[in-house]
Every structure is written in structure tokens, then in C-alpha cells.
Amino acid sequence: MKVTEHIENANGKPLFSFEILPPLKGQNIQSIFDSIDPLMEFNPPFIDVTYHREEYEFKELPSGLLQKKIVKKRPGTVGICAGIQNKYDVDAIPHILCGGFTKEDTENLLIDLDFLGIDNVVALRGDALKNEIYFKPEKEGNQYASELVTQISNLNKGIYLDEELQNSSCTNFCIGVAGYPEKHMEAPSMDSDIHFLKQKIRNGATYIITQMFFDNKKFFDFVAKCRKEGITVPIIPGLKPIATKKQLNLIPHRFKVDLPDDLIMEVVRASDAEAVRQIGIEWCINQSKELMQAGIPVLHYYSMGKAENIKAIAKAVF
């Protein structure tokens, strides 16, 4: 079932969903199930599965040439999504990136997902690799998320890269895209960011899921700006509880997200690691309750493969 259909069928009742990371190479799918099992009591209609590009480093050979070596790889998102749908009978939503894929790679991936009965995808540009200053698209790949959305939308219309195909089947993907309540780190302004978000909707995206935020006012202002620009699709807030003091520095640096001063000082004054964890949980509970009172259709949590904090939040909210 499509995300938009889940929202319509809920008849105004807020839905719970979450996002998981693929396991590291060498781990099996049971590690994924172990992180999902504790959250199934809250009846998530769908679970997002992120995609991680291969990371690599260059090693100089005696000849002076550079050899590219893959140093980190996570198992395939397609197989994980199939495993989740088979075990839990919920919709698994793979993230699809521009980076690391040619357009032909993307088409083949989408065909596989369609064969498996996966109805939803999230189309993302993807981040630059650690050894890149700026994002570099794959040669013959999509450069922007809006182009990726167009390719998926074309498949929904039966338009494949090989224009000579006859009697081609139409896919039926519900396409999600990312939104940034505090603007994308590379966007020159919020207005330009929303301009390109609107373009992704025009190209065929049917819902938005946001980057994490810790101040609900940022989210409400973002939604208001989107509505003013004529964006009418559902906007799903992405939430994450602070879990460690290190995240006070890591999250703003990695995601370009502001943390409220009240939250920062509570964490700074915390006596130990467990106190920090509880502060993060309580803050996220309060965020969640306010969002629910505002009639937000879905609350989406970034679990990062760890269920304990998300379970504590969900118990207090749903």
C-alpha cells in the first residue's frame, strides 16, 4: 500500500513509522529484525530502509598508480526490504540515491522493487562521500533528486530508457522526497530550497519527509512556507532523540541542524549518560505530543538501528 493511502485510511489518527540502517557487512538480517521487533507493538504501517554508498580509499601501488579499495559496504537495501515485508507484512520503503547509480542501474533497481511488490520509494540525491568536497554524480546518472523523481515517474507511465520497448508495463511507485525545515546545507536560501522542493513535487513526488529537527516551530514555519508556495502533499516530520553528549556537536556539524539552547544546557548539565538519554527521550516526547495535537498525519523516527529510545517515546505518545 502507498504511504499516501496509509494516511488516507488512518482517518486523522497519527501513524507511527521509523527508519533503520542496513547492517554492516558480515551481519545477517536477524540484526535488522532484532531492532524492529521491539517497535512492532506500535503498528507501523511502513518502515524506511536507508541506502549507504560504498566508501573507499585509494592506495598507492609500487608502480605509482592509485588503486581504489572499498573499505565499507552494507548489504543491499532491496533484499532487506523484501525480508521486512515477508516477515512483518508491513510496507518497506527503500531509499534510492542519485550517487553511485547510473540511470540504467536505477531503472534495474526499480524493476526489481516492482517485481517484489514494493510500492513506495524515497528519492534522494545523496551526500558527498567523505573524500569529496562536493557531491559528484555518477557518470550517466541522475544529478539531482528532481531528475531521479522524473525517472521514477516515467516508469510509472511505462516510459523506460529504451524508447523502443513495446507494451512496457507501468510501475506504480509512491515517491517520497526529503524536505529541510532549516534548509539544505548547500541551499543558498530557504526560498530557493523550497523552489526546488516544489519542482520535485511537480515531477511526480507525492509526499515529503523532513530532516530531523529539535524545534517544532522550525517545522511549522517550513510547512507554512510550503503551503504558501502551493505544495499540498503530506509533510511527515522526522524526529530523533538526543542520546549522547557528543551529539551536541556531531548533529549540527553533520546535518546543519540547530539545537535549542534549553536542550543544549539540559544535556550539558546532565550528571551521566543515562541522564542524557532520558533528557533526549523527554524532549522528543514533548515534540511528538505537540505535533500530534497539530494534526500531523505521521510521526517518523530515525532509530539508527537502536530501538530502546524510540520504544520509550512511542509508549508515551501512541
Side-chain angles (χ1 to χ4, degrees):
M1 186 183 295
K2 296 182 178 183
V3 167
T4 49
E5 292 172 337
H6 282 299
I7 293 172
E8 290 170 4
N9 293 343
N11 294 317
K13 181 182 178 181
L15 301 174
F16 165 82
S17 70
F18 60 96
E19 181 174 303
I20 61 170
L21 296 170
L24 292 171
K25 185 177 181 180
Q27 298 177 357
N28 62 28
I29 200 167
Q30 187 59 47
S31 63
I32 288 285
F33 296 157
D34 290 344
S35 69
I36 293 175
D37 286 342
L39 300 176
M40 291 308 296
E41 66 178 278
F42 307 107
N43 300 313
F46 55 86
I47 299 170
D48 277 40
V49 181
T50 64
Y51 182 87
H52 283 261
R53 295 172 63 185
E54 294 176 348
E55 296 179 18
Y56 55 87
E57 61 186 18
F58 289 95
K59 179 182 178 181
E60 186 172 356
L61 301 175
S63 63
L65 298 174
L66 294 177
Q67 180 184 53
K68 186 166 76 172
K69 177 184 177 183
I70 296 173
V71 295
K72 190 175 185 181
K73 182 175 174 63
R74 293 178 182 264
T77 300
V78 175
I80 294 170
C81 287
I84 290 172
Q85 292 203 162
N86 180 65
K87 180 175 175 63
Y88 297 106
D89 194 28
V90 301
D91 285 300
I93 305 179
H95 289 191
I96 300 179
L97 308 183
C98 296
F101 291 93
T102 65
K103 290 183 179 181
E104 185 174 358
D105 292 334
T106 297
E107 181 171 280
N108 291 334
L109 172 62
L110 291 165
I111 290 170
D112 286 345
L113 294 173
D114 185 51
F115 285 165
L116 289 168
I118 291 173
D119 298 324
N120 305 277
V121 294
V122 175
L124 306 166
R125 189 200 69 177
D127 298 325
L129 295 174
K130 290 180 180 179
N131 62 327
E132 297 175 345
I133 297 176
Y134 300 106
F135 170 81
K136 294 181 180 178
E138 192 76 13
K139 187 178 181 181
E140 299 181 3
N142 292 298
Q143 185 171 1
Y144 302 107
S146 58
E147 294 179 3
L148 177 55
V149 170
T150 296
Q151 183 176 5
I152 301 169
S153 183
N154 281 343
L155 279 185
N156 284 347
K157 301 169 186 173
I159 302 172
Y160 288 72
L161 295 176
D162 184 351
E163 297 177 356
E164 295 182 2
L165 286 178
Q166 296 181 357
N167 302 317
S168 56
S169 298
C170 298
T171 58
N172 192 27
F173 292 112
C174 177
I175 308 168
V177 292
Y180 298 85
E182 299 177 60
K183 91 171 181 61
H184 189 277
M185 64 182 75
E186 296 176 19
S189 70
M190 178 62 82
D191 288 343
S192 69
D193 205 17
I194 291 179
H195 168 81
F196 289 111
L197 177 58
K198 188 174 181 179
Q199 182 175 324
K200 289 187 280 189
I201 304 303
R202 284 198 302 265
N203 290 2
T206 51
Y207 74 97
I208 298 165
I209 187 162
T210 77
Q211 175 63 278
M212 70 181 74
F213 58 92
F214 296 86
D215 181 349
N216 283 356
K217 186 177 185 304
K218 300 282 181 69
F219 174 77
F220 292 134
D221 288 347
F222 171 72
V223 172
K225 286 179 180 290
C226 287
R227 300 308 186 218
K228 184 178 179 181
E229 289 299 315
I231 297 173
T232 60
V233 301
I235 301 177
I236 300 172
L239 301 169
K240 175 179 169 55
I242 289 283
T244 67
K245 285 190 177 182
K246 287 183 179 180
Q247 289 178 339
L248 294 182
N249 301 110
L250 292 176
I251 287 176
H253 174 72
R254 177 79 184 272
F255 300 102
K256 300 298 185 285
V257 170
D258 288 334
L259 299 175
D261 290 338
D262 290 350
L263 174 59
I264 293 171
M265 293 314 300
E266 279 192 60
V267 172
V268 166
R269 293 170 182 147
S271 57
D272 55 33
E274 179 57 23
V276 172
R277 195 177 80 88
Q278 289 300 323
I279 289 167
I281 289 171
E282 288 301 319
W283 189 277
C284 197
I285 287 172
N286 291 332
Q287 275 191 274
S288 300
K289 287 181 176 179
E290 185 179 23
L291 291 165
M292 288 179 71
Q293 290 170 359
I296 301 305
V298 184
L299 300 186
H300 185 77
Y301 296 89
Y302 296 112
S303 74
M304 310 301 287
K306 298 178 181 178
E308 295 83 2
N309 290 4
I310 306 303
K311 182 175 181 178
I313 295 162
K315 275 198 167 188
V317 174
F318 289 91

Coordinates of all heavy atoms in Angstrom, one line a residue, residues 15 26 51 83 96 122 152 166 204 213 222 234 243 250 254 261 287 314 316 318:
L15 N 0.0 8.2 12.6 CA 0.7 7.0 12.4 C 2.1 7.0 12.9 O 2.7 8.1 12.9 CB 0.7 6.6 10.9 CG -0.7 6.5 10.2 CD1 -0.5 6.3 8.7 CD2 -1.5 5.4 10.8
G26 N 28.8 -8.5 7.0 CA 29.2 -9.6 7.9 C 28.1 -9.9 8.9 O 28.1 -11.0 9.5
Y51 N 19.9 3.8 2.4 CA 20.9 3.2 1.5 C 22.2 3.9 1.7 O 22.3 5.1 1.9 CB 20.5 3.4 0.0 CG 21.5 2.7 -0.9 CD1 21.4 1.4 -1.3 CD2 22.6 3.4 -1.4 CE1 22.3 0.8 -2.1 CE2 23.5 2.8 -2.3 CZ 23.4 1.5 -2.6 OH 24.3 0.9 -3.4
G83 N 12.9 -8.9 2.9 CA 12.9 -9.6 4.1 C 11.9 -9.0 5.1 O 11.1 -9.7 5.8
I96 N 16.5 5.5 -2.4 CA 17.2 5.4 -3.7 C 18.0 6.7 -3.9 O 17.4 7.8 -3.8 CB 16.2 5.2 -4.9 CG1 15.4 3.9 -4.6 CG2 17.0 5.1 -6.2 CD1 14.4 3.6 -5.7
V122 N 11.8 6.4 -1.6 CA 12.2 7.7 -1.2 C 13.4 8.1 -2.1 O 14.4 7.4 -2.2 CB 12.6 7.9 0.2 CG1 13.1 9.3 0.5 CG2 11.4 7.6 1.1
I152 N 11.7 7.9 -12.0 CA 10.7 7.0 -11.4 C 9.3 7.3 -11.9 O 8.5 6.4 -12.2 CB 10.7 7.2 -9.8 CG1 12.2 6.9 -9.3 CG2 9.7 6.3 -9.2 CD1 12.4 7.3 -7.8
Q166 N 8.2 -2.0 -26.5 CA 6.8 -2.0 -26.8 C 6.0 -2.8 -25.7 O 6.5 -3.7 -25.1 CB 6.5 -2.7 -28.2 CG 7.2 -1.9 -29.3 CD 6.9 -2.6 -30.7 OE1 6.2 -3.6 -30.7 NE2 7.3 -1.9 -31.7
G204 N 6.6 14.6 -9.8 CA 5.9 13.4 -9.5 C 5.9 12.9 -8.1 O 5.3 11.9 -7.7
F213 N 14.7 17.6 13.2 CA 14.7 19.0 13.8 C 14.4 18.8 15.3 O 13.8 17.8 15.7 CB 13.7 19.9 13.1 CG 12.3 19.3 13.2 CD1 11.4 19.7 14.2 CD2 11.8 18.5 12.2 CE1 10.1 19.2 14.2 CE2 10.5 17.9 12.2 CZ 9.7 18.3 13.2
F222 N 8.2 25.8 8.3 CA 8.5 25.2 7.0 C 7.2 24.7 6.3 O 7.1 25.0 5.1 CB 9.4 24.0 7.3 CG 9.7 23.1 6.1 CD1 10.5 23.5 5.0 CD2 9.1 21.8 6.0 CE1 10.7 22.7 3.9 CE2 9.3 21.0 4.9 CZ 10.1 21.4 3.9
P234 N 1.3 15.5 1.7 CA 1.6 15.3 3.1 C 3.1 15.6 3.4 O 4.0 15.3 2.6 CB 1.3 13.9 3.3 CG 0.3 13.5 2.2 CD 0.7 14.3 1.1
A243 N 20.9 11.3 22.3 CA 21.3 10.1 23.1 C 22.6 10.2 23.8 O 22.8 9.6 24.9 CB 21.3 8.8 22.2
L250 N 28.1 16.8 17.1 CA 28.0 16.0 15.8 C 26.8 16.3 15.0 O 26.9 16.5 13.7 CB 28.0 14.5 16.2 CG 29.3 13.9 16.8 CD1 29.1 12.4 17.1 CD2 30.4 14.0 15.8
R254 N 27.1 17.6 11.2 CA 26.8 16.6 10.2 C 25.5 17.0 9.4 O 25.5 16.8 8.2 CB 26.6 15.2 10.8 CG 26.2 14.1 9.9 CD 27.4 13.6 9.1 NE 27.0 12.6 8.2 CZ 26.9 11.3 8.4 NH1 27.1 10.9 9.6 NH2 26.5 10.5 7.5
D261 N 18.7 26.1 22.8 CA 19.6 26.4 23.9 C 19.1 25.6 25.1 O 19.9 25.1 25.9 CB 19.6 27.9 24.2 CG 20.4 28.7 23.2 OD1 21.2 28.1 22.4 OD2 20.1 29.9 23.1
Q287 N 8.0 17.0 21.8 CA 7.9 17.4 20.4 C 6.7 16.6 19.8 O 5.9 17.1 19.0 CB 9.2 17.0 19.7 CG 10.3 18.1 19.7 CD 11.4 17.8 18.7 OE1 12.3 17.0 19.0 NE2 11.3 18.3 17.5
A314 N 7.5 6.1 21.9 CA 6.3 5.6 21.3 C 5.3 5.2 22.5 O 4.1 5.4 22.3 CB 6.5 4.5 20.4
A316 N 4.9 6.5 25.3 CA 4.4 7.7 26.0 C 3.5 8.5 25.0 O 2.7 9.3 25.5 CB 5.5 8.6 26.4
F318 N 1.9 7.1 21.7 CA 0.9 6.4 20.9 C 0.0 5.4 21.7 O 0.5 4.9 22.7 CB 1.6 5.6 19.7 CG 2.2 6.5 18.7 CD1 3.5 6.9 18.8 CD2 1.4 6.9 17.6 CE1 4.1 7.7 17.8 CE2 2.0 7.7 16.6 CZ 3.3 8.1 16.7

